[in-house]
Amino acid sequence: LDTSRHFFTAENVKSMLETMAAFKLNHFHWHLTDDQGWRLPIQGYPSLTDLGSHGVNDGAYTQEQIKDVVDFAKQRHIEVVPEVDVPGHVQAAVAAYPELGNTDIQGWHKPDGPSKEWGVHDYTLAPSEKVLSFLGSVFDSMNSFFPGHYVHIGGDEVKTNEWRHSPKAAASASQLGETAGMLQEFFNNKVAALLKTK
């Protein structure tokens, strides 16, 4: 269920879980972040939901609502699989915290807010230690909400234009013996390794 682009209240989500249970479906993929909205509360990063949840339609979940939905699903033998989409699909996050973006690009400007248009957008997370620290906080928060075995990190449809024009990203790629386009694989592997430590 893509609540990042089309927000559903917690009660709406629970209604859908009831329907899933009736059909004996036992995994619920909950897409919580994208260019069009960040719906997941993260400790230490309040602007993600304060600013990042006002995209195509407004709304974010509280910690209590997420825990309630997860508990509701568990009672119906449904495992919740949350998705936080990185390193692309991050316009809402970069709008809230511009330092997560590729700010060293000449003429770069932060987005005004989450995208109000569909499609894949140019903003990507910078391949930096600051971003990995941020993602560590994201996964720490997710650990406290979602007791299941799986987390979806997205990792698809990353436009590499920003990495090609960022001196820091280009330097990172060069150190790895890679092109800017190959940073996506490197980034996904780093995120996967980080997630395994949580």
Side-chain angles (χ1 to χ4, degrees):
L1 179 66
D2 185 353
T3 58
S4 55
R5 295 185 179 103
H6 303 278
F7 185 71
F8 285 64
T9 67
E11 290 304 312
N12 292 150
V13 174
K14 287 160 70 174
S15 177
M16 194 191 77
L17 289 168
E18 287 278 28
T19 303
M20 287 179 64
F23 285 93
K24 301 193 182 313
L25 300 173
N26 62 7
H27 283 82
F28 169 48
H29 181 164
W30 198 0
H31 188 164
L32 292 159
T33 74
D34 214 294
D35 290 307
Q36 291 79 13
W38 185 289
R39 314 303 184 176
L40 180 68
I42 302 299
Q43 187 171 356
Y45 294 90
S47 293
L48 287 171
T49 51
D50 290 348
L51 186 138
S53 65
H54 300 289
V56 174
N57 50 39
D58 296 347
Y61 302 106
T62 65
Q63 293 180 18
E64 293 74 22
Q65 287 172 324
I66 288 177
K67 289 176 180 177
D68 180 50
V69 167
V70 170
D71 186 54
F72 188 87
K74 184 178 179 182
Q75 291 170 16
R76 286 152 184 80
H77 309 287
I78 297 171
E79 181 176 345
V80 178
V81 179
E83 179 178 350
V84 171
D85 211 342
V86 294
H89 296 265
V90 292
Q91 182 169 325
V94 173
Y97 293 96
E99 64 272 21
L100 299 175
N102 296 281
T103 59
D104 62 323
I105 297 172
Q106 186 173 2
W108 185 91
H109 61 86
K110 80 175 196 75
D112 295 330
S115 178
K116 296 187 184 299
E117 298 176 1
W118 308 120
V120 181
H121 301 284
D122 285 332
Y123 290 99
T124 56
L125 295 177
S128 67
E129 289 303 316
K130 179 179 282 191
V131 165
L132 291 175
S133 176
F134 161 72
L135 291 174
S137 296
V138 170
F139 297 142
D140 283 341
S141 290
M142 291 176 74
N143 254 353
S144 69
F145 303 145
F146 303 103
H149 297 97
Y150 303 103
V151 171
H152 196 301
I153 60 168
D156 63 334
E157 303 173 329
V158 180
K159 286 194 172 183
T160 58
N161 191 46
E162 283 199 334
W163 288 342
R164 293 180 203 285
H165 290 92
S166 160
K168 289 180 183 175
S172 293
S174 180
Q175 287 174 354
L176 296 166
E178 306 280 7
T179 65
M182 292 301 292
L183 277 176
Q184 179 178 352
E185 180 181 354
F186 169 77
F187 194 100
N188 288 350
N189 289 337
K190 289 286 269 189
V191 170
L194 174 65
L195 189 54
K196 286 178 184 176
T197 68
K198 303 297 178 184

